[in-house]
Amino acid sequence: DSDEIQVFNGILMDGPLVLKGLKSPGIQLHLVDIFLEELTEVVEEGMTARTWVDMLFPYFRLLARSTDKAIFERVLNRIFKALVGKKWLRASISEEEEEEEQKPM
C-alpha cells in the first residue's frame, strides 16, 4: 500500500497539483473538492492512521506552498476542516490499528 500511495502522490505532486505556471486553479480546486468523497468510496475496511497521513501529504504540501487564496481556503475547508470531528474518519481507521492502541504496554 505505502509504495502505491507514494507513486500516486508523486503523480499528483508532479502533475495536477503543481502550482508553477498556473493560469487557472480549476484542476487543483476540483481535486480538492472530490478528494474525501472519492477516498471514502474506495475505503471499505478502514485505513491506518499512517495511511491517512500518507494520502493527505500532497494536500499538506499544497496548503504549505500555495500563494493562491482560493486554493489555500479550499484545501483548508474541504479537506482539513472537514476531517475535524468527523465520525466517519474515526470509523475509517482500521480496527487492527485500534486494537493495537488498546493493548497494555
Side-chain angles (χ1 to χ4, degrees):
D1 275 349
S2 182
D3 290 339
E4 293 167 345
I5 292 170
Q6 298 309 317
V7 169
F8 180 74
N9 285 350
I11 292 168
L12 281 178
M13 293 185 296
D14 293 339
L17 294 183
V18 169
L19 296 171
K20 293 178 184 176
L22 183 67
K23 292 183 181 182
S24 171
I27 188 71
Q28 289 87 359
L29 296 174
H30 176 68
L31 288 172
V32 169
D33 287 344
I34 65 170
F35 175 72
L36 289 179
E37 182 180 321
E38 294 297 325
L39 186 60
T40 55
E41 282 186 27
V42 298
V43 176
E44 293 178 11
E45 297 177 13
M47 292 190 303
T48 65
R50 179 75 237 169
T51 301
W52 268 105
V53 171
D54 290 345
M55 293 297 296
L56 290 168
F57 181 77
Y59 298 95
F60 284 123
R61 184 175 154 189
L62 185 61
L63 193 62
R65 293 184 175 187
S66 178
T67 57
D68 185 300
K69 185 177 178 179
I71 292 174
F72 182 89
E73 288 181 359
R74 189 76 63 96
V75 173
L76 182 64
N77 291 319
R78 292 288 196 123
I79 295 177
F80 295 103
K81 284 186 178 179
L83 288 173
V84 176
K86 289 287 188 179
K87 291 179 183 178
W88 62 261
L89 175 61
R90 182 68 183 142
S92 70
I93 294 177
S94 70
E95 291 178 24
E96 183 178 299
E97 181 173 295
E98 197 171 294
E99 289 170 4
E100 286 179 20
E101 289 176 3
Q102 293 176 1
K103 288 181 183 175
M105 295 194 172

